[in-house]
Amino acid sequence: MWCPDWPIAAWCREMGSGALSSEGSTIALVERGEVFACSLPARAAGVRRGLRVREAQSRCSELIVENYDPAIDARAFEPIILALEEVVPGIQVLRPGMCAIRAQGPSRYYGGEQSAGELLIETLARFGIHDARIGIADGIFAAEQAARVPGTEMVRIVPAGLSAEFLAGLPVELLGRPELNPLLHQLGVHTLAQFAALDPVSVRDRFGEDGAFCHRLAAGLDGRDVTARVPPPQLDCRVEFETPLDRVDQVAFGFRQTAERFVATIAQARLVATAIRVEVHTDDGRRTGRTWLHPRWFTASDVLDRVRWQLQGGHGIDAGLAAPVVSVSVSPESVDRALNHEDGLWGGGPDESIHHGFSRVQSMLGHEGVVTAVLTGGRLLSSRSVLVPWGDLPPGGEKELARRRQLPWPGNVPGPLPSTVFEAPVPALVRDAGGRLVDVDGRGILTGIPAVFAAGIGERSGGSGEHPVTSWSGPWPLTERWWEDGARSINRFQLVDALGRAWLLVLAEHEWWAEALYD
């Protein structure tokens, strides 16, 4: 069973917007700067998977670009799998949007393979999925290709024993091995039948075990069996309010027992939740959801705090809601064995005390009331750190954070870095021996030799607090986002005054600023 463009359909379901749909909107989901999936109208405009974002936008000026999140795919596909399992047993999820089912049992029960496939199509239609395809063949690979064949047939059946004949004319690119395609084309092998005609021993010697496996797939000899998934225990909890509630404190009070039941259910399974998903439904038809992380694991009070923070929208006050709340549901997004989080013989130590203290303050001040500084990439020192709420991952996750750190960032300050970075740049003055303000002309040449320096004072202060300059270096020009209207050019300097203090200075728009101080 295959749902075309499932990442796009899942994203539209997650957004819950009637104005956006996978059939009528030009949408592209991006991963690592390249198009991962796009809607049918976007493909009609020339957008393809693997294109860079700028090239895709140049082909379709109305393209809606969003980041791809695999968790959204899995989360949206879960209720569909549960509905399919009520109709046919033993489903293996190959990936969100595609699953494999053993056809023998359902075909006997429902009076044939065609009838069983049509029943699955009807089940999917209840979820608003009207473009799903069913492929039935001797193996998983052949069945997938049967489902992907263009046409109006919702259920395509390859007769038993004819999988090799069905696959014969298909291109070798369908094997999903990009590294094999160039070499096979050089050998004159363009179709699966030509690849299957090669000697199996020679294929194994040249391409290894994976090449031999692909050779068997091309010959219609897919020996893989369907491995039915084991349905996970139902850990989700939901509360519905007969009378919609329009205040945060009312919703939090009504959800208290549900939060306790949610944590108790997870504890009975000998698990702890390290990430949860909270979804709120309002009486105007909107559904908002957010994933919350925890530095350790969630207790009932932690779950209740996240529900309250989500309803507050980050404002930290128990104010009225934009629309009355009809229901609130919570589900575990990530769980771990409780054994891995047991306290030691003498307690958890200082880390546990710190965590409880931060959580206590956070519950009083709100989700963004306690933040931690995380180092990231950037050219300016002020942009190399980001404040993250306690318990949350940095924007983009740890992998994105590590990637940004490893980028070259030309123009950044080399090490050793200053130990004190000012939250806001401090006004400064740099004068030459004649008392004139030192500047940089259009060619990047200094108008004078720095002789006197002062920080924390304005130009009109009469020069109080000025100190002689003992040494200096620079300028180092830096131009950011030169291709945009908001581009800015700055010059950096390092300077040591008579008191022995080393400064990192910035000259921008003919004004001097102290960015950091070396200790």
Side-chain angles (χ1 to χ4, degrees):
M1 189 279 297
W2 173 53
C3 297
D5 298 328
W6 176 252
I8 300 295
W11 182 83
C12 292
R13 290 171 177 268
E14 183 76 11
M15 295 301 102
S17 174
L20 296 177
S21 64
S22 57
E23 295 85 3
S25 302
T26 53
I27 307 171
L29 299 182
V30 178
E31 184 180 40
R32 297 180 180 178
E34 296 182 350
V35 175
F36 177 83
C38 58
S39 61
L40 182 60
R43 285 198 298 273
V47 181
R48 294 292 184 269
R49 178 172 179 172
L51 288 180
R52 302 295 296 178
V53 177
R54 288 188 176 274
E55 183 177 355
Q57 290 175 329
S58 67
R59 296 187 180 187
C60 180
S61 59
E62 300 178 353
L63 188 65
I64 301 173
V65 178
E66 297 289 341
N67 291 327
Y68 171 68
D69 185 359
I72 294 178
D73 284 7
R75 185 163 53 243
F77 200 55
E78 182 64 22
I80 296 175
I81 290 298
L82 295 177
L84 292 177
E85 287 178 335
E86 295 179 357
V87 179
V88 294
I91 296 180
Q92 177 184 356
V93 179
L94 302 177
R95 62 178 178 272
M98 179 177 291
C99 59
I101 308 166
R102 296 194 63 179
Q104 184 177 11
S107 64
R108 290 180 178 178
Y109 186 81
Y110 294 110
E113 295 174 343
Q114 183 72 28
S115 299
E118 292 176 352
L119 183 60
L120 293 178
I121 294 295
E122 295 176 1
T123 303
L124 294 172
R126 297 202 303 265
F127 290 87
I129 303 175
H130 303 287
D131 58 349
R133 296 291 186 269
I134 305 294
I136 302 176
D138 294 333
I140 294 178
F141 177 72
E144 177 182 349
Q145 305 313 316
R148 290 180 176 272
V149 171
T152 58
E153 295 184 48
M154 306 292 286
V155 180
R156 183 176 294 272
I157 301 175
V158 179
L162 299 182
S163 292
E165 181 179 346
F166 166 73
L167 296 171
L170 299 180
V172 293
E173 285 78 7
L174 295 180
L175 293 171
R177 303 298 193 276
E179 64 278 4
L180 292 181
N181 298 335
L183 183 55
L184 290 178
H185 290 326
Q186 291 177 5
L187 296 174
V189 177
H190 302 280
T191 65
L192 295 180
Q194 294 172 337
F195 186 39
L198 299 178
D199 179 60
V201 177
S202 300
V203 171
R204 179 182 292 105
D205 293 341
R206 178 62 183 84
F207 301 109
E209 290 299 327
D210 186 65
F213 172 72
C214 293
H215 183 263
R216 291 192 297 270
L217 293 183
L221 303 176
D222 190 354
R224 295 175 297 172
D225 196 6
V226 175
T227 304
R229 73 165 194 161
V230 178
Q234 187 65 28
L235 301 177
D236 301 0
C237 288
R238 177 187 179 94
V239 59
E240 297 185 359
F241 306 108
E242 296 183 2
T243 302
L245 305 179
D246 58 358
R247 290 193 59 85
V248 175
D249 53 351
Q250 294 175 346
V251 177
F253 181 79
F255 193 76
R256 182 179 298 275
Q257 292 184 352
T258 304
E260 295 175 352
R261 185 174 74 253
F262 170 73
V263 174
T265 302
I266 295 178
Q268 290 177 358
R270 298 181 180 179
L271 301 171
V272 293
T274 57
I276 62 174
R277 174 78 178 178
V278 177
E279 292 191 353
V280 179
H281 298 252
T282 55
D283 66 350
D284 58 357
R286 291 186 300 172
R287 181 185 66 180
T288 58
R290 175 170 177 176
T291 298
W292 296 90
L293 305 179
H294 200 284
R296 299 184 70 201
W297 69 87
F298 280 94
T299 63
S301 60
D302 293 330
V303 174
L304 197 61
D305 284 340
R306 270 57 176 187
V307 172
R308 184 167 59 249
W309 295 342
Q310 183 165 322
L311 294 173
Q312 292 169 351
H315 300 296
I317 55 175
D318 287 335
L321 300 170
V325 175
V326 176
S327 64
V328 179
S329 61
V330 58
S331 58
E333 192 85 357
S334 176
V335 296
D336 194 9
R337 296 176 59 188
L339 182 62
N340 298 333
H341 298 268
E342 292 289 347
D343 290 335
L345 182 62
W346 309 111
D351 291 343
E352 182 179 359
S353 301
I354 293 173
H355 161 71
H356 285 303
F358 283 169
S359 299
R360 176 69 175 173
V361 175
Q362 195 176 36
S363 64
M364 293 185 294
L365 300 181
H367 178 56
E368 298 182 356
V370 180
V371 295
T372 56
V374 179
L375 292 180
T376 181
R379 295 179 177 87
L380 298 178
L381 295 178
S382 57
S383 62
R384 296 185 65 173
S385 64
V386 60
L387 297 179
V388 179
W390 171 252
D392 277 9
L393 286 176
E398 294 289 350
K399 293 184 179 179
E400 176 64 18
L401 186 67
R403 187 190 70 85
R404 287 181 59 86
R405 288 175 181 169
Q406 296 175 359
L407 291 177
W409 295 111
N412 63 348
V413 177
L417 297 177
S419 57
T420 302
V421 179
F422 304 122
E423 183 177 355
V426 177
L429 287 177
V430 178
R431 301 181 186 274
D432 59 14
R436 294 180 297 272
L437 184 67
V438 177
D439 202 349
V440 175
D441 60 17
R443 296 187 176 183
I445 301 176
L446 287 177
T447 60
I449 303 300
V452 180
F453 165 77
I457 62 175
E459 187 174 3
R460 300 179 181 178
S461 61
S464 60
E466 296 182 355
H467 301 280
V469 175
T470 59
S471 61
W472 61 276
S473 62
W476 303 312
L478 174 62
T479 302
E480 288 190 312
R481 309 189 72 84
W482 52 267
W483 59 89
E484 294 183 351
D485 295 336
R488 68 167 182 169
S489 298
I490 64 175
N491 289 275
R492 283 173 157 175
F493 294 80
Q494 287 178 330
L495 182 146
V496 180
D497 60 18
L499 299 179
R501 299 174 300 182
W503 301 81
L504 179 63
L505 304 180
V506 173
L507 178 60
E509 300 296 335
H510 311 290
E511 294 185 355
W512 286 89
W513 303 88
E515 185 181 11
L517 179 65
Y518 294 88
D519 289 342

